[in-house]
Amino acid sequence: MKITVLGTGYVGLVAGVCLSDSGNHVTCVDVDAEKVRMLQQGKLPIFERGLEDLVSRNARARRLSFTTSVAEALAESSVVFVAVGTPQSDSGASNLQYFDSAIAMVGAHVRPGTVVAIKSTVPVGTADRVREAFKARGLAVHVVSNPEFLKEGTAVDDFLRPERVLIGCEGDEPRHIMQDLYAPFTRSGSPLLFMSNRSAELAKYASNAFLAMKISFINEMALVAERCGADIGDVRRAITTDSRIGGKFLYPGCGYGGSCFPKDIQALVHLGTSLEMPMEMFRAVHSVNERQKSVLFEKMQRHFGGNLKGRTIAAWGLSFKPLTDDMREAPSIRVIEQLLAAGASVRAYDPVAAQEAVRIFGSRVLVQPDPYEVAKKADALVIFTEWNEFRSPDFERLRTSLTAAVIFDGRNLYDPESLRRQGFLYYSIGRQDPK
Ligand code: NAD
């Protein structure tokens, strides 16, 4: 099949590349000429494991190309995926400015009979609105909702081996086209779920809201544990043996970030509000998370007697989760801004997000390529992201590098008792802080 993908971000690039890898001819379009230029040279604008090899293999086989010209791409395509960003607007609603402009570009060049598949996460009713708009202009195209469930860090694998594929559409023709397109990825039995556009759109929000709710649940429980002398690790072990609860996505931490959960929860609250619903649960999920993002800073403030002025803090991990360079809404940003505002200086290390950190903080934070170098003569270490390489560091080297052996761990990577024996003052989430 000949396919166009609009947007070469974390979703569009991965989808386009994986679709070309199964034999389709894919043209990826982006309005960002610099991104397109990089991709044409075989360089990736984002970090995603396994993606670079796939890009070069499929580009070499002439199944994958990159352009800024929608007209050129759409001239031959029978399916066009829209995977542009839908960030949060000031009101909490999705900002559909990029999406609407992508749809306008499609409308100007699309051929009759084309499937327009919406991969971006969009408010319920968007596909119907797009369908009506195309119809009003006499354009006979199929508007399909195909929300994406890949996870940054394992995006390629998630796309190639999805747990399910969701298709919202009307009529048999788009259904059969999408069935054929996804057949290579669902051969091992992953379900291809067909439903209305509106159900598919809402299912995406429901999925993210549930996951965010689990994180806020365990984080609020962690705060309770700290205050009543319990250990969230033990509480977690106890509750997750119940098969109705399960253990996934129930790890206490310094709050969720990323480009999806925060904005999708807000968009869901906005949707409910527009339907005259109070949306109490999802408002709480958001506010618990906002509070959680400040927990590490509050612990640091208490440790340093309320005065961080002149202190140097070393930070390990900046991305919102491991295996990605994405720092959108990352807890690290909130805490580092709080530290800087309090007069502390920050030196930081991340295995892949260094460039992104420099883009965000400029010269306000010293980003260094070695984790032990950032710890040298720092007053404390703070850990924001559970990168594997932080799980068993050289504690002796760390202890002697820091001016004081103090760790604030936003991901509960270590055993408190073991760290105490090794001479550290160790603060973590939902466990008892050192006296
Ligand atoms: P992104 O910000 O990484 O990339 C969006 C890309 O779209 C950018 O490169 C931008 O230049 C491009 N773009 C904007 N307007 C365009 C236009 N008119 N034509 C062509 N390109 C255009 O975004 P992302 O993280 O890939 O997310 C895309 C969508 O997928 C969002 O709706 C998001 O909520 C959803 N989603 C994201 C993830 C994720 O993990 N990132 C997972 C599932 C769903």
Side-chain angles (χ1 to χ4, degrees):
M1 249 183 256
K2 293 217 161 78
I3 297 168
T4 292
V5 180
L6 295 193
T8 60
Y10 290 87
V11 167
L13 185 57
V14 171
V17 171
C18 292
L19 286 164
S20 72
D21 200 53
S22 61
N24 298 293
H25 282 82
V26 179
T27 308
C28 293
V29 182
D30 207 292
V31 287
D32 184 335
E34 174 59 18
K35 264 191 186 177
V36 170
R37 197 185 53 75
M38 282 178 76
L39 287 161
Q40 285 169 337
Q41 293 171 356
K43 295 186 198 138
L44 291 202
I46 54 165
F47 173 83
E48 191 59 55
R49 234 176 8 173
L51 194 58
E52 199 161 4
D53 283 353
L54 284 184
V55 169
S56 58
R57 177 144 51 92
N58 288 290
R60 255 199 325 272
R62 299 190 172 282
R63 282 191 299 266
L64 178 66
S65 60
F66 303 95
T67 179
T68 51
S69 166
V70 186
E72 189 187 297
L74 284 183
E76 298 197 338
S77 294
S78 51
V79 179
V80 48
F81 284 95
V82 180
V84 303
T86 48
Q88 188 181 318
S89 64
D90 291 342
S91 68
S94 286
N95 171 356
L96 293 179
Q97 128 192 36
Y98 307 104
F99 177 81
D100 285 340
S101 111
I103 290 294
M105 286 159 71
V106 171
H109 303 284
V110 76
R111 296 177 309 153
T114 302
V115 168
V116 179
I118 301 172
K119 259 212 177 302
S120 301
T121 304
V122 290
V124 179
T126 302
D128 287 347
R129 172 172 70 79
V130 169
R131 183 181 291 119
E132 286 308 313
F134 282 144
K135 209 188 268 175
R137 294 178 52 188
L139 288 170
V141 296
H142 304 290
V143 179
V144 167
S145 302
N146 177 214
E148 183 51 59
F149 292 93
L150 61 75
K151 304 180 282 301
E152 287 176 26
T154 53
V156 171
D157 215 45
D158 291 342
F159 196 92
L160 295 175
R161 281 172 282 278
E163 287 186 322
R164 70 340 211 152
V165 174
L166 213 55
I167 310 286
C169 65
E170 282 181 358
D172 285 342
E173 205 178 322
R175 183 188 172 113
H176 292 144
I177 293 172
M178 296 307 278
Q179 218 157 12
D180 290 346
L181 195 60
Y182 276 106
F185 309 105
T186 51
R187 287 168 76 95
S188 56
S190 312
L192 199 56
L193 304 174
F194 289 97
M195 56 192 71
S196 72
N197 292 87
R198 282 175 190 253
S199 298
E201 287 165 338
L202 183 58
K204 176 63 196 174
Y205 286 106
S207 175
N208 278 354
F210 190 82
L211 295 171
M213 183 180 73
K214 288 180 94 172
I215 298 175
S216 280
F217 168 86
I218 199 75
N219 280 340
E220 187 152 56
M221 199 56 78
L223 294 190
V224 177
E226 269 182 39
R227 274 164 214 207
C228 67
D231 182 317
I232 193 64
D234 290 338
V235 174
R236 183 187 176 281
R237 277 194 301 133
I239 63 172
T240 56
T241 48
D242 185 328
S243 59
R244 294 169 303 175
I245 297 175
K248 289 189 177 163
F249 249 71
L250 274 176
Y251 292 95
C254 50
Y256 61 73
S259 66
C260 293
F261 290 0
K263 75 159 173 82
D264 290 350
I265 294 292
Q266 291 295 83
L268 187 60
V269 168
H270 192 269
L271 169 73
T273 309
S274 73
L275 299 170
E276 295 180 6
M277 294 177 59
M279 301 304 272
E280 285 161 23
M281 178 185 286
F282 302 115
R283 280 183 207 278
V285 168
H286 171 70
S287 61
V288 166
N289 192 58
E290 283 300 293
R291 176 163 182 359
Q292 196 69 15
K293 282 183 167 180
S294 291
V295 161
L296 282 176
F297 178 71
E298 287 162 15
K299 285 178 190 267
M300 285 190 249
Q301 260 193 326
R302 277 199 296 277
H303 173 84
F304 288 106
N307 186 8
L308 279 149
K309 202 168 168 50
R311 298 288 182 178
T312 299
I313 307 296
W316 280 6
L318 297 166
S319 54
F320 84 94
K321 67 173 178 178
L323 296 175
T324 181
D325 59 346
D326 197 344
M327 286 180 62
R328 287 178 280 187
E329 304 291 325
S332 64
I333 299 179
R334 163 81 62 85
V335 177
I336 288 174
E337 289 295 356
Q338 287 170 321
L339 286 168
L340 296 176
S345 57
V346 178
R347 293 199 300 253
Y349 164 78
D350 186 284
V352 302
Q355 211 178 325
E356 184 61 4
V358 170
R359 195 186 64 75
I360 292 169
F361 295 115
S363 58
R364 295 184 303 140
V365 169
L366 181 61
V367 183
Q368 293 180 298
D370 183 299
Y372 295 96
E373 201 58 35
V374 304
K376 225 179 235 173
K377 297 210 163 30
D379 294 296
L381 169 71
V382 56
I383 301 173
F384 295 115
T385 319
E386 65 275 37
W387 283 95
N388 255 345
E389 65 184 84
F390 302 150
R391 288 181 190 273
S392 282
D394 182 341
F395 282 116
E396 180 53 25
R397 192 169 163 202
L398 195 53
R399 201 168 51 75
T400 51
S401 300
L402 292 163
T403 51
V406 185
I407 298 179
F408 297 90
D409 178 1
R411 299 295 168 186
N412 287 6
L413 295 181
Y414 313 124
D415 172 34
E417 181 49 31
S418 162
L419 260 77
R420 198 189 55 75
R421 277 201 312 271
Q422 295 181 70
F424 285 92
L425 280 180
Y426 178 57
Y427 296 83
S428 52
I429 309 286
R431 307 190 286 194
Q432 299 310 298
D433 284 340
K435 297 277 179 284

